[in-house]
Amino acid sequence: MRITNVPPYEHSVQYYETDQMGIVHHSNYIRWMEEARCYMLGALGLPYSEMEKEGVMIPVLSVNCTYKAMSYFEDTILVKMVVEKYDGLRLNISYELTDKKTGQLRATGESSHCFLNKSDASIASLKRQYPRMHEIFAQNAEEA
């Protein structure tokens, strides 16, 4: 089950995100992927804050980022996301970060997540325990 229909997230590079050389510090790409993930959930109709209120947490199990080219202050970075896998228990997302003006690929990444019950940190099955949330993911999915 793949989800590809969410528009890219736009991030304007801030001065504080750069290092002494004027280049974006590598840790910020991971933050931008998290911003994009929260944006994606909202765009799907599942804002993270709402999921937490309903008792679901989505911890990061792993994250990977491969840097392709440097980004600088005032660049606008587009973060395209694709949900590569969703099965009600796990969520895997891939990311492409490109410069809005030039289209140059700046980084690629992946993150994997699971769903937990907020009350006791046990594994949550959206399909079984939170069918409304599962249905939203399913409605936006296409077969891989």
Side-chain angles (χ1 to χ4, degrees):
M1 186 181 288
R2 290 181 57 152
I3 298 173
T4 60
N5 62 342
V6 175
Y9 171 74
E10 253 184 61
H11 179 84
S12 297
V13 176
Q14 303 300 305
Y15 184 77
Y16 71 85
E17 295 174 311
T18 63
D19 61 18
Q20 194 171 10
M21 298 178 289
I23 300 166
V24 169
H25 189 269
H26 66 275
S27 64
N28 289 296
Y29 293 85
I30 303 295
R31 289 183 182 99
W32 301 344
M33 291 186 321
E34 182 173 357
E35 289 174 14
R37 189 167 56 252
C38 290
Y39 161 81
M40 177 194 70
L41 289 170
L44 291 175
L46 289 169
Y48 206 127
S49 57
E50 186 180 304
M51 293 181 78
E52 286 190 339
K53 282 179 192 167
E54 291 186 40
V56 176
M57 296 186 304
I58 311 172
V60 174
L61 298 175
S62 67
V63 65
N64 177 358
C65 189
T66 302
Y67 307 98
K68 304 291 187 176
M70 293 176 270
S71 297
Y72 301 90
F73 174 55
E74 295 185 332
D75 284 353
T76 299
I77 304 300
L78 298 177
V79 184
K80 179 183 175 191
M81 301 139 289
V82 174
V83 172
E84 299 289 351
K85 178 183 177 187
Y86 166 78
D87 62 9
L89 297 171
R90 286 184 173 256
L91 178 67
N92 295 347
I93 305 168
S94 65
Y95 308 85
E96 278 190 357
L97 295 86
T98 58
D99 181 87
K100 182 178 181 179
K101 191 186 304 182
T102 66
Q104 182 186 38
L105 183 63
R106 300 293 172 85
T108 60
E110 304 93 32
S111 63
S112 64
H113 311 266
C114 67
F115 300 98
L116 296 180
N117 292 299
K118 192 173 182 179
S119 60
D120 62 2
S122 62
I123 298 291
S125 167
L126 294 192
K127 192 181 281 190
R128 219 179 44 234
Q129 297 168 277
Y130 302 92
R132 183 189 70 79
M133 292 181 198
H134 173 71
E135 186 59 31
I136 290 172
F137 276 109
Q139 286 173 350
N140 287 281
E142 60 187 42
E143 290 304 315

